[in-house]
Amino acid sequence: MPVLLAPDRAPVLPQLLQRADSVGLGCKITNAPGADTLRIAGLGSLTAAGGSEISFLSNPRLADQLQGCRAGAVILRPEDWQAFQTQHPGPVDWAVVLCAQPYLLYALLAQWFDQHRLANLPQGIHPSAVVAADATLEAGVHVGPLAIIESGCRIGAGTRIGAGCVIGPDCDIGRDSLLHAHVTLYHGVRVGARAILHAGVVLGADGFGFAPDPRTPGAWAKIAQLGGVRLGDDVEIGANTTVDRGAIEDTVLGNGVKLDNQIMIGHNCQIGDHTAMAACVGVAGSTTMGKRCVIGGAAMFGGHLTLADDVHISGGTAVTSDILKPGRYTGVFPVAEHTAWQHNAAVIGQLAQLRKRVRSAERAAASGQPTHNKQDTR
């Protein structure tokens, strides 16, 4: 149980669904004559939840876990509930919350419990924090131990700045954002509302920009990085991920962008709304990525590339040219559409066998003897 409220502070089931912003999901409570008095104090798995917790079923293959479930309520699709009733016609001890998107409803409930947790954490400015006299902190801002907020910053209402964070000059952070410990924002970084920046995030470090300097063999002249970093609303960035500032224009992450841990976004990149990247992705400078792209772990992007909207890149793929058509792309050798890559990969798995057959045929041809190969040569 990740969160557990005191019984007198736990909402009853209908209240919880309302507070968790489940509007539009078509939720319906059934099999629960006492739902109006059933208090839900936390979340739990189907196998571990207790009578004051709510659980969910999103994968029908786990339906057997409903047997013996001791949760107070379970979220599941109507068809899954009907299938379970058909196989197990007896009564169950938990309230049923019917919802077409149980995993999404679970996510919204988890958000509500987490927001409740955050609201009960300490408020105010820790005595060891350093806040510039001309910084603007709106209502409800919390600044943790040893954090630094430099001149000209504006911190939106309800935002929490964790221990040891450094917010450089003239930064702007939107309301209700959460910066975990040791986040660093260089000067002039703009962060939208409801951002979540995990420990070790660095926004606005210099991009990797150097010009060859022939006056000294092999030397490089630094190109001053004069742009900034700009994040939209509802952006989440994982631990130890870095986003470099632009050389002239800003590096931009759109609304709802989600970055996992240990990702590197180079200078002047433009990442479209609601694009998500798994861990260890590297994006070289001046790459433009469309909206709703999904990037698998450890994928790598050469610089100055363009990706269309709705492009999915499989993990470990190296992208070295533009992708201008939506779809899924995969490759450990030059990138290709996923279906074509699968056909090529199947052939690669048979290369050793094909090599033996070719060499056998070559030897037979050289000796003038007929080839007797009964294997399938398709």
Side-chain angles (χ1 to χ4, degrees):
M1 51 190 145
V3 179
L4 188 62
L5 302 179
D8 59 332
R9 301 174 67 184
V12 295
L13 181 57
Q15 271 184 339
L16 176 62
L17 296 178
Q18 183 178 15
R19 292 177 184 178
D21 191 23
S22 61
V23 175
L25 295 183
C27 298
K28 178 183 177 183
I29 301 173
T30 186
N31 189 51
D36 291 341
T37 59
L38 175 60
R39 293 192 175 274
I40 302 297
L43 302 165
S45 66
L46 289 172
T47 56
S52 63
E53 294 171 300
I54 188 168
S55 188
F56 73 100
L57 173 72
S58 62
N59 186 345
R61 290 180 295 180
L62 302 179
D64 287 346
Q65 294 182 5
L66 291 171
Q67 290 184 275
C69 179
R70 298 185 301 275
V74 176
I75 309 161
L76 68 171
R77 285 184 288 260
E79 57 268 31
D80 293 334
W81 172 234
Q82 184 177 5
F84 180 78
Q85 283 186 303
T86 300
Q87 295 178 7
H88 309 281
V92 296
D93 296 329
W94 28 270
V96 175
V97 180
L98 299 178
C99 178
Q101 300 287 337
Y103 196 54
L104 174 58
L105 180 55
Y106 154 73
L108 297 173
L109 293 175
Q111 286 182 25
W112 184 86
F113 278 106
D114 196 47
Q115 289 163 5
H116 190 280
R117 177 187 65 84
L118 292 172
N120 286 278
L121 292 177
Q123 302 289 328
I125 300 174
H126 193 274
S128 65
V130 178
V131 180
D134 64 346
T136 301
L137 276 60
E138 297 182 355
V141 169
H142 169 76
V143 183
L146 302 176
I148 297 173
I149 299 178
E150 297 194 37
S151 177
C153 290
R154 188 195 72 83
I155 312 298
T159 287
R160 296 187 63 88
I161 307 296
C165 289
V166 177
I167 312 301
D170 300 315
C171 288
D172 191 314
I173 301 175
R175 64 179 299 120
D176 297 318
S177 292
L178 173 60
L179 278 64
H180 290 275
H182 299 292
V183 169
T184 300
L185 273 56
Y186 283 55
H187 65 278
V189 170
R190 301 287 182 265
V191 177
R194 299 174 300 279
I196 300 175
L197 307 181
H198 289 273
V201 163
V202 177
L203 304 182
D206 281 356
F208 193 69
F210 300 90
D213 186 350
R215 295 174 297 180
T216 303
W220 300 91
K222 182 176 177 60
I223 300 171
Q225 303 293 289
L226 305 177
V229 172
R230 180 159 41 93
L231 274 57
D233 295 336
D234 302 298
V235 171
E236 180 164 356
I237 301 181
N240 294 325
T241 285
T242 63
V243 181
D244 288 349
R245 67 189 318 107
I248 299 176
E249 305 296 333
D250 291 346
T251 301
V252 178
L253 275 61
N255 295 328
V257 168
K258 311 298 183 188
L259 303 184
D260 198 356
N261 302 335
Q262 298 180 327
I263 288 172
M264 193 280 176
I265 305 294
H267 60 177
N268 298 103
C269 287
Q270 310 283 309
I271 309 299
D273 294 353
H274 307 295
T275 285
M277 301 185 194
C280 300
V281 169
V283 184
S286 299
T287 292
T288 298
M289 206 170 285
K291 298 178 181 178
R292 301 174 302 277
C293 293
V294 177
I295 312 301
M300 293 290 154
F301 294 82
H304 299 269
L305 300 181
T306 299
L307 269 67
D309 296 343
D310 302 301
V311 168
H312 290 211
I313 302 295
S314 298
T317 296
V319 181
T320 57
S321 58
D322 293 346
I323 298 177
L324 304 179
K325 187 175 70 171
R328 183 178 179 187
Y329 296 81
T330 304
V332 292
F333 39 87
V335 65
E337 287 190 292
H338 185 67
T339 302
W341 178 87
Q342 286 180 309
H343 290 313
N344 291 333
V347 173
I348 288 174
Q350 301 174 39
L351 283 180
Q353 181 183 6
L354 289 173
R355 178 174 178 269
K356 289 180 181 179
R357 289 161 55 189
V358 169
R359 294 188 66 180
S360 176
E362 288 175 342
R363 285 194 295 267
S367 65
Q369 297 179 3
T371 301
H372 300 288
N373 190 347
K374 296 182 179 180
Q375 298 184 59
D376 184 4
T377 58
R378 287 177 294 177

